[in-house]
Amino acid sequence: MAAGVYNLTIEQGVDLALEVSVKDSTAATYSLTGATAAAQIRDTYNGSLLATFASVTATGTTGILTLALSAVTASSLPLSGGYWDLLLTTSAATKVRLLQGSVSIAGEVTE
């Protein structure tokens, strides 16, 4: 299954929390029990790492992943943006890319 496309706009200087609901091929809630997830932002595909989401929390049988990026980290991102993806490792050690997309950065004015 191909990853879904979700383009992010990140505001510099603002905390970001993103909740992702994971479903199986029948649209039923996917159990994340025993699963782990990771998400990163890079300047290009396979390029330099710009940020790692500090908290990727998998919530058991609810099928919810919560991704967090702090205001400090958001402020350090270049206005040129980049690309991101969300990788799930199931309890059976299968790797599945759930989401991917571009990252646009909205610069901050008020600090």
Side-chain angles (χ1 to χ4, degrees), residues 34-55:
T36 60
Q40 294 181 336
I41 300 170
R42 294 186 179 265
D43 60 350
T44 61
Y45 292 105
N46 298 317
S48 298
L49 179 65
L50 299 177
T52 297
F53 285 80
S55 174

Side-chain angles (χ1 to χ4, degrees), residues 15-29:
D15 293 311
L16 172 70
L18 180 64
E19 210 173 74
V20 177
S21 179
V22 182
K23 307 280 184 182
D24 67 15
S25 60
T26 66
T29 299

Side-chain angles (χ1 to χ4, degrees), residues 44-94:
T44 61
Y45 292 105
N46 298 317
S48 298
L49 179 65
L50 299 177
T52 297
F53 285 80
S55 174
V56 182
T57 306
T59 309
T61 58
T62 65
I64 301 292
L65 289 172
T66 304
L67 286 68
L69 200 64
S70 72
V72 170
T73 300
S75 288
S76 71
L77 295 172
L79 292 175
S80 57
Y83 299 90
W84 83 290
D85 67 5
L86 170 60
L87 184 68
L88 178 74
T89 303
T90 69
S91 59
T94 302

Side-chain angles (χ1 to χ4, degrees), residues 1-23:
M1 169 174 49
V5 175
Y6 186 80
N7 298 321
L8 285 176
T9 298
I10 297 174
E11 298 171 306
Q12 283 185 331
V14 176
D15 293 311
L16 172 70
L18 180 64
E19 210 173 74
V20 177
S21 179
V22 182
K23 307 280 184 182

